[in-house]
Amino acid sequence: MKAENDIFSGASIKAETLSMRQWLVDIRRDLHRNPEPGLEEFRTAGEIERRLAELGIESTRAGTAVVGLLWGGMEGKTAALRADIDALPVNEETGLDFASVRGGFMHACGHDAHTAILLGAARWFSAHRKSIAGNVKFLFQPAEETSGGAQTMIAQGCLENPRVDAIFGLHVMPYLPVGKIEIKYGALNGCSTTLAITIRGKGGHGAYPESGVDAILIAAAVISALNTLVSRCVSPLDSAVLSIGTIAGGTRSNIIADEVKMSATLRSTDDRVRDLLVDKTRAMVEGISASYGGSACLEVSYGYAALVNHEEGVDMVSAAAQDVLGKDSVVWKEKPSMGVEDFSFFLKERMGAFYHLGCGGGIPGESAPLHSGKFLLEEDCLPLGVAMQVRTVLEFLKNRS
């Protein structure tokens, strides 16, 4: 396979994907009209299977996860592309004529667009399979917004048979205009961890504080201390945040509380920093509680890992964007987001990169944000997303047979 081959040029790919526009729009609008939450994407998975079959692409399904596999006409490595397929529990407020028909649910994060784009990439590769030196897997992943479907798919073997050598993914982004992509070397998204803290004291009458151990007083000391944790235990060159979101304790105004429960979220762009802060939190919570005569328990629930792009993968995405969208199409993200994305687990297993695809109208502040009931996207981004997916894979496969 030669990159200079006409069908593999950015101009040719873009022209071909632009010709798919209405097909992509129809798929996206059908999915948008029929949103399904994580692990309930049965109709969505069925539509994906049907479309892949029409394209002559074999697929397998586990639950609502679908994996398509295209064998190229020549031997080579295997690249994978991923789209998340689940919707959010959000009431739609767009007024679109193809708005959600399922009350309380909406594709407010653009996963309908991601799915349509990946099907478009499958269509392109199907049309040119004889000229491809290598194989392409199409991963349609459930439950990105909830339980983290990426880990389940990996455990089910989506990166094996044949073994995936590189993986790429995208996410539509309304603050970027159509025709732009945004990417970053290194950490792009943070990791998430939920902390559940239980502080135990000894109940008593409020008129006789010496007879009890005040769990509320201990909690106040713990809260003050935890709010110094990041500033004193993490390098200012690293990123982390710890926010206490809930607190509950006590029964009446004149009774010393014997128990207080709190919950917090911990975010960092480095899993090692996360682990350090978990250890420090545990020591601080237990130590402060003991110093007041009480005790404490910390329960840790690990969420998504930090999403860290591979340098070679970023280079490939950037090269693809400049070829397909133009030399000024790449926006380099300066700082990572503390929002999470479970594509991170794929990048822990294989080389690759994740990037943002512009879907906004171009006027800053005009487009509603992701996860909003008013979220809209410009459908001109769909064929450009397909072109980016295709060109990035070709960038990886070329000269890697």
Side-chain angles (χ1 to χ4, degrees):
M1 183 179 67
K2 296 182 178 179
E4 63 269 23
N5 192 324
D6 191 46
I7 63 169
F8 298 139
S9 70
S12 177
I13 293 168
K14 184 177 179 181
E16 189 169 345
T17 58
L18 286 173
S19 72
M20 299 181 193
R21 186 184 186 281
Q22 191 57 53
W23 183 81
L24 294 166
V25 166
D26 290 344
I27 293 174
R28 182 255 164 169
R29 292 187 178 186
D30 174 72
L31 296 172
H32 190 88
R33 190 179 289 111
N34 298 280
E36 297 173 302
L39 303 180
E40 297 179 22
E41 311 96 330
F42 298 106
R43 180 188 183 278
T44 303
E47 284 296 301
I48 292 167
E49 288 181 302
R50 183 177 68 82
R51 294 284 185 176
L52 291 174
E54 289 176 349
L55 296 171
I57 295 176
E58 62 183 77
S59 67
T60 57
R61 178 170 164 180
T64 54
V66 180
V67 178
L69 173 59
L70 179 136
W71 298 93
M74 295 170 279
E75 290 187 1
K77 295 207 171 186
T78 299
L81 296 167
R82 174 272 210 166
D84 35 17
I85 66 175
D86 55 324
L88 283 162
V90 171
N91 283 307
E92 183 155 1
E93 303 173 46
T94 62
L96 295 169
D97 58 6
F98 55 91
S100 170
V101 298
R102 185 174 182 181
F105 292 95
M106 175 193 174
H107 271 295
C109 203
H111 296 186
D112 52 343
H114 301 168
T115 304
I117 287 170
L118 188 51
L119 286 170
R123 175 174 165 173
W124 190 96
F125 281 106
S126 177
H128 302 288
R129 70 177 76 206
K130 292 182 179 179
S131 302
I132 305 299
N135 315 306
V136 186
K137 279 190 173 182
F138 308 95
L139 310 183
F140 295 89
Q141 179 209 307
E144 189 278 329
E145 299 286 0
T146 52
S147 58
Q151 288 176 293
T152 300
M153 289 190 73
I154 292 168
Q156 291 168 342
C158 72
L159 299 180
E160 306 297 338
N161 302 315
R163 185 184 190 279
V164 169
D165 299 292
I167 186 166
F168 301 92
L170 61 76
H171 201 300
V172 293
M173 197 58 68
Y175 62 70
L176 285 175
V178 172
K180 299 282 188 180
I181 70 142
E182 180 181 61
I183 196 165
K184 182 181 179 297
Y185 287 105
L188 181 67
N189 290 85
C191 59
S192 62
T193 306
T194 299
L195 307 176
I197 301 167
T198 301
I199 295 171
R200 296 185 178 91
K202 178 183 176 183
H205 197 291
Y208 312 105
E210 74 280 3
S211 67
V213 176
D214 192 343
I216 288 178
L217 180 63
I218 298 173
V222 168
I223 290 170
S224 295
L226 290 180
N227 276 287
T228 69
L229 198 58
V230 171
S231 66
R232 287 299 173 263
C233 295
V234 177
S235 166
L237 301 180
D238 293 325
S239 298
V241 62
L242 191 158
S243 297
I244 299 168
T246 69
I247 180 170
T251 56
R252 294 185 62 180
S253 62
N254 65 340
I255 297 177
I256 292 174
D258 63 352
E259 184 177 272
V260 171
K261 292 189 175 184
M262 301 184 289
S263 65
T265 186
L266 172 62
R267 304 288 176 102
S268 174
T269 55
D270 189 324
D271 292 346
R272 292 171 298 178
V273 172
R274 173 203 63 194
D275 294 342
L276 168 69
L277 289 173
V278 166
D279 291 342
K280 294 288 186 180
T281 298
R282 190 183 306 280
M284 188 173 283
V285 167
E286 293 177 352
I288 291 173
S289 298
S291 72
Y292 279 81
S295 62
C297 173
L298 173 67
E299 296 181 1
V300 182
S301 298
Y302 292 98
Y304 295 172
L307 191 157
V308 182
N309 279 329
H310 296 250
E311 183 174 347
E312 185 181 5
V314 173
D315 289 341
M316 292 174 185
V317 171
S318 174
Q322 293 179 62
D323 189 26
V324 170
L325 304 178
K327 291 185 178 181
D328 298 324
S329 62
V330 180
V331 176
W332 294 98
K333 191 172 179 65
E334 293 183 6
K335 299 177 181 179
S337 166
M338 285 299 178
V340 296
E341 164 59 61
D342 77 344
F343 191 82
S344 58
F345 294 110
F346 291 118
L347 293 180
K348 280 180 153 307
E349 300 291 329
R350 300 292 190 271
M351 189 281 291
F354 191 76
Y355 60 97
H356 300 148
L357 177 74
C359 71
I363 301 175
E366 182 183 67
S367 300
L370 299 172
H371 289 220
S372 162
K374 297 181 179 179
F375 169 69
L376 295 166
L377 62 81
E378 296 290 332
E379 291 176 323
D380 286 344
C381 76
L382 299 176
L384 300 184
V386 176
M388 276 297 304
Q389 296 272 47
V390 168
R391 191 68 191 87
T392 302
V393 167
L394 294 176
E395 191 70 23
F396 170 74
L397 293 179
K398 72 178 183 180
N399 301 322
R400 286 178 168 78
S401 58

